[in-house]
Amino acid sequence: MKIAIAYFSPQGRTARVARLIHEAVGGKLVEIEPKDPYSMKDLDWNDKESLSSREMRNEFARPELKAMPDLEKPDVLFLGFPIWWYVAPRPVDTFLDGEPLEGVRIIPFATSGSSPIEGAVRRLRATYPGLHFEDGALLNDGDPALWARKVLGL
């Protein structure tokens, strides 16, 4: 089984979880990085004019990403992100728009200060109906490695 872990983590929290999953199940670890990294000012969700706020108001915003290594179409993709405005951030959409993931088992995982993952998964399923998203998990606490092994039946 070919496994990949792709994650977006502008502040490092989701990256830590992604590394723990990678250590547990192996595979290819790939960071989803915007071409122009977000500053703390860009990430200020209290500022309606911050970059992240403007992107999240625009359903069609697709920030340009840095070049990424080829995922080589895995069988399973763990897809990690922080939850912004109850959904996955727009760089995740840019990533999904650019990857041939039909037939891939996509397992979302997220970090969040207070939002559950269900709304994010619901939006991913609606936006990308040709892809197979599982329910996923919010991994603020607990053992991401144990969760990932359990999801894969290991």
Side-chain angles (χ1 to χ4, degrees):
M1 170 174 31
K2 283 175 39 177
I3 298 170
I5 302 106
Y7 67 94
F8 170 66
S9 185
Q11 294 180 298
R13 197 163 146 194
T14 307
R16 181 188 62 76
V17 173
R19 286 190 295 273
L20 291 170
I21 292 170
H22 180 251
E23 289 170 10
V25 301
K28 189 172 213 167
L29 183 64
V30 176
E31 184 174 3
I32 300 167
E33 294 182 89
K35 184 176 179 189
D36 298 315
Y38 291 92
S39 68
M40 290 307 291
K41 183 177 178 182
D42 293 334
L43 297 171
D44 183 359
W45 61 274
N46 289 308
D47 178 358
K48 291 181 181 186
E49 292 309 312
S50 72
L51 179 58
S52 61
S53 294
R54 290 192 320 267
E55 286 176 357
M56 295 310 291
R57 279 194 309 269
N58 179 357
E59 181 73 21
F60 303 103
R62 297 296 186 267
E64 189 174 352
L65 302 179
K66 289 182 180 178
M68 297 176 54
D70 184 4
L71 285 182
E72 301 165 11
K73 194 156 185 186
D75 301 305
V76 175
L77 172 66
F78 285 93
L79 178 63
F81 50 87
I83 296 176
W84 290 1
W85 291 265
Y86 303 100
V87 298
R90 300 297 183 232
V92 173
D93 291 326
T94 305
F95 168 75
L96 290 170
D97 287 348
E99 289 293 325
L101 296 172
E102 293 79 9
V104 174
R105 181 180 172 200
I106 304 172
I107 306 168
F109 67 94
T111 57
S112 172
S114 61
S115 301
I117 194 171
E118 290 81 9
V121 173
R122 204 170 21 259
R123 182 191 167 274
L124 288 170
R125 287 175 176 152
T127 305
Y128 302 97
L131 301 182
H132 174 72
F133 291 95
E134 296 192 5
D135 291 338
L138 189 64
L139 297 175
N140 291 332
D141 302 310
D143 186 345
L146 179 65
W147 169 79
R149 286 191 299 268
K150 183 178 177 183
V151 165
L152 295 179
L154 302 176

